[in-house]
Amino acid sequence: MGRRWALWGLIFALLVALLAVMVFLVREYEESQLLVQLERNAASMGSDVRTGLNRSIQNLQALHGLAPTPELWPIQAAEFLSTHREMVHIEWRDADLRPMAARTTPYMPRLYTYRARRDSQVDVAQACSNATRLSGPAFSPSYFWPLSPGQGIELMEMCLPLMRDGQSDGYLIATYSLAAILTEMIPSSALRGQRVAWTEADGTRLTIVGNLPSGSPVVHANHLVDLQGATYLLRLEQPKAPGGWLPPVLTVIVGTLSLSLLGAVGLLVRDLRRRLLAEQRLAEALAFRKAMEDSLVTGLRARDMEGRITYVNPAFCQMVGLTAEQLLGTSIPAPYWPPEQIDEYRQRLAVRLAGKVLPREGFESEFVRADGTRFPVLIIEAPLINAQGVQTGWMSAILDLSEQRRIEEQSRASQERLQATARLAMAGEMASLISHELNQPLAAISSYATGSLNLMEQAPQRAADDGAIQTALQRIQEQAERAGRVIRSVADLVRRRERERESVTAQALFAAIQPLLMLQARKLGITLETQVATDCPPVFCDRTMIEQVLLNIGRNGMQAMPPGQPPMGSGLRRLRLRAEPVAPSTWQKTPEWVRFVITDHGIGISQEDTERLFTPFFTTKPEGMGLGLNLCRTVVEQHGGMLAFEPHQPQGTVFQFTLPVAKAL
């Protein structure tokens, strides 16, 4: 009950406020109309002032034509001043502003008694300077001229350049009284009941003409009078007019209408309360349904009988990446249909609109998100029936199958990885078998080579080419022993045995693989360069395995530079092997790691291959097995280092890995 009376009190207060606002707006409208009229009058007065000044300038030019000599000039000037009360003084000066003839108005004969004319020389010079620049009449800013102690007038100077027979004839200077300009150039009828004044920009009055009743509020309007060389502000004031008959009449009318409105409101209160109760129940039902729809992860979509979308829930909007505003009202083709399947989707929609009921389990389809990505969906549709039992469309429930497909893809990838792991285990067994089977023939090769060397050393006489034969046999022995070490290392790697590590210099590692790399380098026309820093310490490693790592990466680098890429003579067909100590940090005194860098100028590695480069059985070479780089990384990581690569400019790839320093261990 208290709330109802508070509501009625609020309505009554609003009606009172409405009446007050109406009266206020009417008063404001009347004042605005008065101000507009006052601004028009001020503009008209400003126009009259400019017109009068232009007319007086023309009369001054005629005066100079009637009195061409300084002797005749004062007589004509006296007659001129008697008919132009706005001027208090005129004079003729030469080009250097020296007076030639002058005359003061007869209405103010004691104008220059209290103060000499020469005190206004600054204003005269300023006006004449502007007149010379403008080649026409120019005015000076106003200045106060005292007539006696405590009295004075506001004056301004006008300078008019004179010409006679195409030659300068000096200047004609007229001194105007600001008050006389208002009284002489503005009609007296326009000043009746008003007050006009010249003011400065800050509102300070320079001179005032007219009187207003004291104590009464006034309204004013300003008008800018722009003269050549100076600008003045004309202020027009007028008393505020008392209120007319319009506000009381409007008050009565609005009051009567307000009482009628209160009566109508009273009749509608009962119906309004019933309507509010029904709306409240409806709002609760809608809020409950909205909460249910927003909580669903299943997309909901409603379409009318013509295929236009009439409703979508947030899950469906999030699914296709479009807002509800972008989807509602759209027809076929839908913005989330794949372009190449539009015809198929049209036929499917035609079946729905024909009234054929689809299976309850639904059907699978494919949608396109706003960013262009595609995802599979499961659509289940049912007829949409209104309260009268008439079908108005179709309601669809859409399930996003992306997560299900992702899980299936992960399962498939896991199976492939298990198969790859099995193949890798098989490769390990094969490597172990090969190492076991090849140890004996390699040992025999080494034995035969050693026996041949012993026989040649015991023979007292040898042919001229025995030296070359001896060298070749030494190479057979070295490579056979090296092959044996490689096989043993592979066997140890597969069996996870501890390998023997030793202190080896970078020069020794490069020297061991240089003969094998030189053979391939000469064949491909590639220059092989090795560089070891002078302060590079020895590393602690399995010598055979690290040599295989360097040899494998070096051969890959040369194979990435096939004949013609890069062209011969470009200086880019070279393979660089470099070893350097890793710079120690601020708290270390000696380096603990040595960096090995292999740089080629080949075709480089694509972005797609970068992600799979170290994957087992992945290779870009037709004859490759895809195990080389993966094993290289395994060997380096077993030594505690890290194998990495990056693009090289202008072309090629840089591989680098680190090994521990021997002294640091």
Side-chain angles (χ1 to χ4, degrees):
M1 189 67 180
R3 180 181 297 180
R4 184 183 303 175
W5 284 109
L7 180 61
W8 281 101
L10 178 61
I11 294 175
F12 182 76
L14 291 176
L15 290 176
V16 173
L18 176 62
L19 292 175
V21 170
M22 288 293 295
V23 174
F24 173 76
L25 292 178
V26 171
R27 295 297 299 271
E28 288 294 321
Y29 174 76
E30 291 181 347
E31 291 183 2
S32 65
Q33 292 297 316
L34 177 61
L35 184 59
V36 169
Q37 184 61 37
L38 201 62
E39 289 176 350
R40 292 176 181 173
N41 294 340
S44 177
M45 291 180 182
S47 177
D48 292 339
V49 169
R50 282 191 293 268
T51 302
L53 290 175
N54 291 334
R55 189 184 304 111
S56 65
I57 291 173
Q58 294 175 0
N59 293 335
L60 287 171
Q61 291 175 340
L63 169 65
H64 186 68
L66 295 175
T69 62
E71 292 77 12
L72 298 176
W73 195 89
I75 300 173
Q76 298 294 333
E79 296 179 359
F80 182 82
L81 289 174
S82 63
T83 58
H84 292 78
R85 301 174 67 93
E86 70 274 8
M87 298 184 193
V88 296
H89 184 80
I90 56 175
E91 57 186 356
W92 181 10
R93 296 193 180 192
D94 59 11
D96 296 328
L97 298 181
R98 291 190 297 267
M100 297 174 60
R103 198 71 175 180
T104 304
T105 178
Y107 306 106
M108 298 181 68
R110 302 178 60 84
L111 178 63
Y112 297 108
T113 301
Y114 183 74
R115 191 173 178 183
R117 169 63 176 169
R118 62 177 175 271
D119 291 343
S120 61
Q121 183 65 24
V122 175
D123 299 281
V124 173
Q126 180 180 358
C128 291
S129 175
N130 291 332
T132 303
R133 178 173 55 85
L134 298 174
S135 298
F139 294 84
S140 71
S142 65
Y143 60 91
F144 181 77
W145 189 259
L147 299 178
S148 61
Q151 295 184 354
I153 59 174
E154 284 288 332
L155 302 178
M156 72 173 179
E157 303 289 344
M158 189 280 296
C159 183
L160 176 64
L162 299 176
M163 302 294 293
R164 192 182 299 277
D165 299 331
Q167 300 294 328
S168 176
D169 198 19
Y171 299 93
L172 185 60
I173 300 169
T175 304
Y176 287 88
S177 170
L178 294 185
I181 289 176
L182 297 178
T183 57
E184 296 297 326
M185 296 184 178
I186 297 177
S188 58
S189 58
L191 296 176
R192 187 176 298 111
Q194 295 177 335
R195 183 169 60 190
V196 64
W198 294 109
T199 64
E200 295 182 350
D202 59 356
T204 304
R205 291 183 175 88
L206 301 176
T207 182
I208 302 175
V209 175
N211 294 317
L212 293 178
S214 59
S216 60
V218 298
V219 292
H220 69 276
N222 295 325
H223 182 74
L224 199 65
V225 180
D226 190 9
L227 304 178
Q228 295 88 339
T231 302
Y232 293 89
L233 193 63
L234 184 66
R235 180 185 180 97
L236 181 61
E237 298 177 349
Q238 179 178 327
K240 279 189 177 181
W245 56 269
L246 186 58
V249 172
L250 284 177
T251 303
V252 173
I253 294 175
V254 173
T256 304
L257 293 176
S258 300
L259 294 176
S260 302
L261 179 61
L262 285 175
V265 169
L267 296 176
L268 294 175
V269 168
R270 181 179 57 186
D271 294 339
L272 181 60
R273 292 183 59 187
R274 293 177 179 177
R275 185 182 299 273
L276 288 176
L277 182 59
E279 290 179 354
Q280 182 179 1
R281 293 175 179 175
L282 179 60
E284 292 176 354
L286 290 176
F288 181 75
R289 193 193 74 174
K290 180 66 175 175
M292 293 179 56
E293 295 171 353
D294 293 346
S295 64
L296 292 176
V297 296
T298 302
L300 297 180
R301 176 196 63 190
R303 292 184 294 188
D304 59 15
M305 299 302 294
E306 296 180 359
R308 290 188 297 267
I309 297 177
T310 58
Y311 169 78
V312 289
N313 70 335
F316 184 80
C317 296
Q318 184 178 5
M319 190 179 300
V320 299
L322 298 172
T323 63
E325 291 75 10
Q326 294 174 315
L327 292 172
L328 294 179
T330 58
S331 184
I332 54 175
Y336 45 83
W337 285 2
E340 69 278 3
Q341 300 181 21
I342 290 180
D343 294 338
E344 178 184 352
Y345 285 21
R346 286 179 184 272
Q347 296 176 2
R348 186 183 302 169
L349 180 61
V351 173
R352 310 290 188 284
L353 299 180
K356 296 182 179 180
V357 181
L358 295 177
R360 182 63 181 174
E361 60 271 12
F363 59 93
E364 291 189 8
S365 185
E366 185 181 46
F367 285 173
V368 180
R369 293 189 177 92
D371 58 1
T373 59
R374 304 191 177 198
F375 62 100
V377 294
L378 176 64
I379 303 176
I380 302 173
E381 291 190 333
L384 187 62
I385 309 299
N386 63 7
Q388 289 75 29
V390 179
Q391 181 179 355
T392 59
W394 294 86
M395 174 60 72
S396 305
I398 296 95
L399 299 177
D400 188 353
L401 302 180
S402 300
E403 185 65 21
Q404 180 180 346
R405 295 291 186 268
R406 186 184 65 82
I407 295 175
E408 294 175 356
E409 182 65 22
Q410 286 181 349
S411 177
R412 185 188 61 79
S414 299
Q415 293 293 332
E416 292 181 355
R417 285 195 295 270
L418 290 175
Q419 295 176 4
T421 303
R423 291 197 299 269
L424 185 60
M426 185 182 298
E429 295 176 359
M430 292 175 61
S432 178
L433 179 62
I434 291 173
S435 65
H436 176 73
E437 295 295 333
L438 291 182
N439 267 333
Q440 292 183 358
L442 289 175
I445 292 173
S446 178
S447 299
Y448 283 125
T450 303
S452 299
L453 291 174
N454 293 335
L455 291 175
M456 294 184 68
E457 290 177 355
Q458 294 174 3
Q461 301 292 332
R462 59 175 58 92
D465 56 349
D466 284 352
I469 296 175
Q470 183 177 4
T471 301
L473 291 174
Q474 289 177 348
R475 296 299 185 189
I476 292 174
Q477 182 184 15
E478 292 174 358
Q479 296 306 318
E481 293 177 352
R482 174 178 175 77
R485 291 196 303 269
V486 171
I487 296 299
R488 287 192 297 273
S489 298
V490 172
D492 293 341
L493 178 64
V494 174
R495 296 170 186 169
R496 298 183 178 271
R497 294 180 179 175
E498 288 293 330
R499 290 170 291 278
E500 297 182 357
R501 299 185 182 181
E502 56 184 328
S503 177
V504 187
T505 62
Q507 293 90 338
L509 294 174
F510 288 164
I513 65 171
Q514 190 170 6
L516 298 177
L517 290 178
M518 286 298 298
L519 293 175
Q520 188 173 359
R522 293 193 189 99
K523 182 179 179 181
L524 297 177
I526 297 174
T527 303
L528 181 64
E529 296 181 358
T530 60
Q531 180 182 359
V532 180
T534 57
D535 57 344
C536 184
V539 296
F540 188 75
C541 66
D542 185 338
R543 177 171 183 167
T544 302
M545 298 305 294
I546 297 303
E547 289 176 358
Q548 284 299 117
V549 171
L550 290 170
L551 184 61
N552 190 12
I553 297 177
R555 284 177 173 174
N556 288 345
M558 287 190 290
Q559 292 173 0
M561 295 185 288
Q565 178 67 28
M568 297 294 292
S570 63
L572 299 179
R573 293 191 65 79
R574 61 167 54 89
L575 181 71
R576 294 187 179 91
L577 286 80
R578 186 173 78 254
E580 59 187 8
V582 178
S585 59
T586 56
W587 53 273
Q588 289 178 322
K589 296 183 179 179
T590 58
E592 296 184 357
W593 298 90
V594 174
R595 182 188 295 114
F596 290 83
V597 182
I598 302 95
T599 305
D600 65 74
H601 296 279
I603 58 177
I605 302 173
S606 65
Q607 183 65 30
E608 296 179 356
D609 295 342
T610 298
E611 302 176 356
R612 301 184 296 168
L613 191 62
F614 294 107
T615 304
F617 305 106
F618 172 75
T619 179
T620 58
K621 296 180 290 186
E623 69 281 0
M625 294 182 62
L627 294 174
L629 286 178
N630 184 51
L631 291 176
C632 289
R633 185 173 67 174
T634 301
V635 170
V636 172
E637 290 177 351
Q638 287 178 350
H639 284 77
M642 182 180 64
L643 176 63
F645 66 95
E646 61 183 6
H648 179 65
Q649 299 297 332
Q651 68 181 58
T653 309
V654 178
F655 279 86
Q656 59 181 358
F657 61 90
T658 55
L659 294 176
V661 175
K663 294 181 180 181
L665 299 175

